[in-house]
Amino acid sequence: MIMSNSASIVNEVEERLNNEIEQLKKDIWRVGDPEKPQVAFGELFDDEQTQQHYEGLAATLKAAKKRGIVTYKSPILLKGAHDKVMVNLVDTSPQGESETTTNKDGALSNE
């Protein structure tokens, strides 16, 4: 019984993190450069909508970095000290778009 409760909690945390990472992608496009998916950490941190959404922006960014969603050149991100560190999305396709291709069997797939 304890194991199933623990598994439930883990699933909730994982789902929340996945939702935050998806929102993070949108926020990087919204707050950052409209031509390319990057934003300075300080700009993202200071954005009012971003402040209202994330419990821990730096933790969400760290999780996204571990998953290969974003890159940045700092082991940690602290407000003030790292405001100019650029956060880059790895996937540079425009927000909300995915490429649809046809595989060798003629079936459609998203990449």
Side-chain angles (χ1 to χ4, degrees):
M1 185 166 188
I2 293 175
M3 294 275 286
S4 64
N5 190 28
S6 295
S8 175
I9 292 171
V10 168
N11 287 337
E12 285 179 33
V13 169
E14 186 70 22
E15 185 176 330
R16 167 98 180 158
L17 180 59
N18 288 336
N19 290 338
E20 285 197 355
I21 289 174
E22 286 304 310
Q23 184 62 43
L24 178 65
K25 293 177 190 178
K26 294 173 187 173
D27 289 337
I28 290 171
W29 278 104
R30 181 180 56 78
V31 177
D33 185 336
E35 298 296 317
K36 51 189 168 183
Q38 69 178 22
V39 65
F41 172 67
E43 287 180 57
L44 190 60
F45 190 94
D46 289 338
D47 179 70
E48 187 174 327
Q49 289 181 22
T50 300
Q51 289 177 1
Q52 297 301 315
H53 184 78
Y54 301 96
E55 289 183 29
L57 177 60
T60 302
L61 284 164
K62 186 173 183 177
K65 185 177 182 180
K66 281 185 169 186
R67 293 175 180 206
I69 308 290
V70 299
T71 61
Y72 51 87
K73 295 181 180 180
S74 180
I76 60 172
L77 292 171
L78 300 173
K79 176 65 180 136
H82 300 105
D83 282 359
K84 294 182 181 177
V85 172
M86 295 305 294
V87 177
N88 304 285
L89 274 176
V90 172
D91 179 2
T92 60
S93 61
Q95 177 183 343
E97 289 185 14
S98 63
E99 292 184 29
T100 302
T101 59
T102 305
N103 66 19
K104 66 181 179 179
D105 300 321
L108 295 177
S109 65
N110 288 332
E111 292 185 354

